[in-house]
C-alpha cells in the first residue's frame, strides 16, 4: 500500500510585472494572495535585459537564493565578494545582520533568466555574519530515480542524494525535469510547508491528479503526509519543488529588511542610514558592475 500524497490546496498564476531596472518578474510567493508561505518570503522568476538589473541595495534578516536558468548574472558586495553565475549555477546568500550588493546581467548576454527565492531566518540567526555559498551547475548533485526524470538537489535530499548547501532554516529546493508519461514520488518531512512553481509544461499532483500549468504556484496541503506524487502525461515538464520548516515567528517586512518587530525594522533603518551595526562597510561604497 502506497503512502498518501500531499494534495494541492491552491494554484495561483504568476503574471509578469516590472521590477528593479529593466527587469520583468513573475512573482510567486510574495504576491498578495501568497504574502508569506512560512519560512518563504518571496519567489521571483526574473527576466532581465542586458541594460537592466538590480543595482546597489541592502538586505537584513533573511537569505536569498539566486538560481540561473539562462544567461549570466554578476554580483558584487561591500565585503569584496564578486563573481558571475551562469545557467544552472546558484548563489545562496545569507544576508544576516547586513549586506549591500548589486546583481547585474553580463552585458554580452541578450537576457538573464532565473529564479530568486527569499528564505526567512529564525530570530537567533537574523544578526549572523553574512555568508555566501556558490555552486556551479556541474557541482550540483543529481538524482535520477528513473529514465526521463532528473532532479537537481539544490538543497535537502532526494532519492538518496544530498545537497552540500548548509541551510540555517531547514530547506528542500529541487529542480525537476520530467519527460512525458512519467511519475515521481518525492519524500518531504511531515512538518515542512511547501509548494511547486511550474516553469514549463503541465503536471498532475497528488492522488487526485491536480492539474498544474506553467507559471503557477501550487501550494501543498499541511496534513503530515510525507510524500508528494507528481505525474506528466502528454508533455514534458520543468518545475521547482521548494519546502521548508516553518519558523512560526512574527514577520515584519519593510522592503529589503525582514525582522520580528517594528522596533527592529526601525533600528535597521537607523543602522543602514548611519553605517553601523553591520552596515559599516556601506559608507562610501558603490559597486563597479552597476
Amino acid at each position: 500500500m502506497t503512502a498518501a500524497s500531499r494534495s494541492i490546496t491552491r494554484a495561483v498564476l504568476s503574471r509578469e510585472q516590472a521590477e528593479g531596472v529593466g527587469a520583468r518578474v513573475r512573482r510567486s510567493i510574495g504576491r498578495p494572495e501568497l504574502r508569506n508561505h512560512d519560512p518563504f518570503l518571496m519567489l521571483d522568476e526574473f527576466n532581465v535585459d542586458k541594460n537592466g538589473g538590480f543595482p546597489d541595495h541592502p538586505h537584513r534578516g533573511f537569505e536569498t537564493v539566486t538560481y540561473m536558468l539562462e544567461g549570466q548574472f554578476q554580483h558584487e558586495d561591500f565585503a569584496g565578494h564578486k563573481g558571475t553565475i551562469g545557467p544552472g549555477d546558484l548563489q545562496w546568500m545569507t544576508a544576516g545582520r547586513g549586506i549591500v550588493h548589486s546583481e547585474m546581467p553580463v552585458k554580452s548576454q541578450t537576457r538573464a533568466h532565473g529564479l530568486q527565492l527569499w528564505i526567512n531566518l529564525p530570530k537567533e540567526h537574523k544578526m549572523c555574519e553574512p555568508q555566501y555559498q556558490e555552486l556551479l551547475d556541474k557541482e550540483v548533485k543529481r538524482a535520477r530515480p528513473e529514465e526521463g526524470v532528473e532532479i537537481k538537489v539544490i538543497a535537502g535530499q532526494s532519492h538518496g542524494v544530498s545537497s552540500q548547501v548548509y541551510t540555517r532554516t531547514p530547506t528542500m529546493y529541487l529542480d525537476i525535469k520530467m519527460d512525458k508519461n512519467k511519475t515521481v514520488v518525492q519524500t518531504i518531512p511531515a512538518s515542512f510547508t511547501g509548494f511547486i512553481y511550474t516553469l514549463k509544461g503541465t503536471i498532475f499532483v497528488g492522488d487526485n491528479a491536480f492539474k498544474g500549468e506553467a507559471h503557477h504556484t501550487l501550494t501543498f496541503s499541511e496534513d503530515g503526509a510525507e510524500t508528494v506524487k507528481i505525474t506528466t502525461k502528454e508533455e514534458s515538464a520543468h518545475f521547482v519543488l521548494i519546502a521548508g520548516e516553518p519558523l512560526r515567528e512574527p514577520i515584519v517586512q519593510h522592503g529589503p529588511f525582514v525582522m520580528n518587530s517594528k522596533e527592529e525594522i526601525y533600528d535597521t533603518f537607523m543602522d543602514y542610514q548611519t553605517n553601523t551595526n553591520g552596515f559599516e562597510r556601506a559608507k562610501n561604497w558603490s559597486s563597479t558592475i552597476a
Side-chain angles (χ1 to χ4, degrees), residues 36-153:
N36 288 304
H37 196 62
D38 189 12
F40 305 108
L41 302 163
M42 190 192 81
L43 177 68
D44 278 354
E45 178 186 359
F46 60 84
N47 270 291
V48 185
D49 68 35
K50 63 182 179 181
N51 297 313
F54 304 96
D56 303 5
H57 59 280
H59 292 296
R60 173 181 276 181
F62 61 100
E63 298 183 304
T64 68
V65 184
T66 306
Y67 179 53
M68 296 303 298
L69 299 168
E70 302 171 72
Q72 292 179 301
F73 239 44
Q74 293 177 292
H75 54 269
E76 183 181 6
D77 72 21
F78 67 12
H81 187 90
K82 189 175 181 180
T84 302
I85 52 175
D89 302 343
L90 70 125
Q91 180 201 76
W92 196 292
M93 184 187 81
T94 304
R97 65 201 301 256
I99 200 79
V100 177
H101 74 157
S102 178
E103 303 163 288
M104 304 295 288
V106 173
K107 300 299 185 187
S108 60
Q109 306 287 305
T110 53
R111 70 166 184 160
H113 176 211
L115 298 170
Q116 186 168 96
L117 175 71
W118 289 13
I119 307 171
N120 201 8
L121 283 169
K123 186 176 181 65
E124 67 264 27
H125 291 313
K126 283 192 176 295
M127 295 296 284
C128 69
E129 287 299 317
Q131 182 186 351
Y132 286 90
Q133 300 173 81
E134 287 179 8
L135 287 178
L136 301 179
D137 179 55
K138 64 184 180 182
E139 297 171 323
V140 181
K141 296 179 181 178
R142 270 82 162 167
R144 295 180 174 87
E146 65 171 280
E147 188 177 347
V149 177
E150 181 181 86
I151 304 173
K152 286 183 67 178
V153 187

Side-chain angles (χ1 to χ4, degrees), residues 170-183:
T171 302
M172 169 183 285
Y173 190 154
L174 308 176
D175 175 5
I176 303 177
K177 292 180 179 178
M178 298 174 63
D179 290 348
K180 61 182 181 180
N181 299 316
K182 295 292 180 182
T183 296

Side-chain angles (χ1 to χ4, degrees), residues 158-179:
S158 179
H159 296 84
V161 176
S162 298
S163 167
Q164 63 204 74
V165 169
Y166 170 64
T167 61
R168 286 171 173 79
T169 301
T171 302
M172 169 183 285
Y173 190 154
L174 308 176
D175 175 5
I176 303 177
K177 292 180 179 178
M178 298 174 63
D179 290 348

Side-chain angles (χ1 to χ4, degrees), residues 250-261:
I251 298 171
V252 180
Q253 179 173 355
H254 199 292
F257 305 134
V258 183
M259 301 301 288
N260 298 115
S261 68

